[in-house]
Amino acid sequence: EVSTEDPETAFCTLANREDLNPEEGSIHHCLYQFTRNEKLTETNKLLCDVCTQRHYGPKNNIKSEKKYVYTNAKKQMLISLAPPILTLHLKRFQQAGFNLRKVNRHIKFPEVIDLAPFCTAKCKNVAEGTTKVLYSLYGVVEHSGTMRSGHYTAYAKMRSMNNHLSDLVLRGQAPQALETEPVKGQWFHISDTRVQAVSASKVLSSQAYLLFYERLL
């Protein structure tokens, strides 16, 4: 969807990104890099319809002559609709010559994460004036092994019913309660038919491949 935004607010977020100093090797750093402001110049310039029409005249003459005007631009990927369930998929491979190699580096992730610095200032389902969009971790998928073979296991949190989340999923109603702590519950490690209770610290030290968060506020 292409939309025209006020240049003064087009790249604004719900919370100030300039105050962020995300630690490298953390999920915050991954999100910060994914949503960074990019400059499109030289061979990456943007085809500008307005500039083309201004320079060459009406559109019907442009296609026949195949003349276009490209201009420098800025691009930024931001969240426009805060989801009830947030799924983060970590890229666990990298190109090594003609081969793919598994990335085993540990990426730090928190039990509660704030998406506000990565949401557009006009995020559709966030109340006006909100500066926090919090999510609580409830599931992790981990992969051990190599690109050719390995084993998937999971960590899941058994917790009580979240009425605010139900309202958000079923009715689209944003939560009103100011919940800022992780949802209470017991973590379990699941590997095939084996299920074992584990601590939160064990979960946070895992080599996460997929992260699942539920919205708090």
Side-chain angles (χ1 to χ4, degrees):
E1 179 182 350
V2 178
S3 61
T4 302
E5 297 284 351
D6 183 347
E8 295 297 322
T9 60
F11 297 94
C12 292
T13 51
L14 288 175
N16 191 351
R17 290 168 62 90
E18 295 180 4
D19 294 338
L20 289 177
N21 186 21
E23 179 184 357
E24 191 171 351
S26 69
I27 200 69
H28 289 96
H29 187 261
C30 294
L31 287 168
Y32 187 83
Q33 289 294 100
F34 187 76
T35 59
R36 72 186 187 280
N37 195 315
E38 300 177 61
K39 293 182 179 179
L40 304 178
T41 60
E42 299 179 355
T43 57
N44 291 321
K45 283 184 178 181
L46 189 70
L47 191 157
C48 177
D49 288 334
V50 175
C51 304
T52 300
Q53 290 182 53
R54 187 185 298 130
H55 192 274
Y56 291 109
K59 246 183 180 179
N60 56 354
N61 294 329
I62 298 171
K63 291 183 178 180
S64 59
E65 297 178 13
K66 295 185 178 180
K67 293 180 178 179
Y68 305 98
V69 173
Y70 294 82
T71 183
N72 292 334
K74 290 193 297 183
K75 181 184 81 171
Q76 187 174 25
M77 303 279 285
L78 292 173
I79 298 169
S80 63
L81 184 70
I85 300 297
L86 173 68
T87 305
L88 299 178
H89 180 188
L90 299 179
K91 183 180 176 182
R92 282 288 181 187
F93 64 90
Q94 65 183 32
Q95 193 78 30
F98 293 102
N99 300 314
L100 290 176
R101 182 169 59 191
K102 172 82 181 292
V103 177
N104 290 310
R105 181 181 183 183
H106 175 66
I107 300 298
K108 294 181 181 179
F109 54 94
E111 282 197 83
V112 173
I113 191 169
D114 184 8
L115 275 194
F118 315 110
C119 292
T120 174
K122 296 182 180 180
C123 200
K124 297 172 185 174
N125 59 343
V126 175
E128 188 176 349
T130 299
T131 58
K132 287 185 179 294
V133 182
L134 300 183
Y135 287 80
S136 178
L137 183 71
Y138 74 90
V140 180
V141 173
E142 182 179 41
H143 178 268
S144 58
T146 66
M147 292 293 295
R148 294 181 179 276
S149 65
H151 182 56
Y152 288 97
T153 60
Y155 294 91
K157 192 178 205 180
M158 187 176 72
R159 60 217 187 281
S160 58
M161 180 71 175
N162 185 335
N163 293 324
H164 297 301
L165 185 64
S166 299
D167 289 339
L168 187 59
V169 172
L170 299 175
R171 305 179 184 84
Q173 297 175 357
Q176 300 299 319
L178 298 179
E179 299 179 52
T180 59
E181 297 297 323
V183 176
K184 293 181 180 180
Q186 173 63 56
W187 281 101
F188 289 90
H189 182 229
I190 304 150
S191 178
D192 293 334
T193 58
R194 184 182 180 186
V195 179
Q196 180 182 12
V198 294
S199 64
S201 61
K202 172 70 174 175
V203 177
L204 297 178
S205 65
S206 65
Q207 299 279 20
Y209 177 60
L210 288 168
L211 295 169
F212 298 91
Y213 287 86
E214 59 183 336
R215 190 169 172 188
L216 291 176
L217 63 84

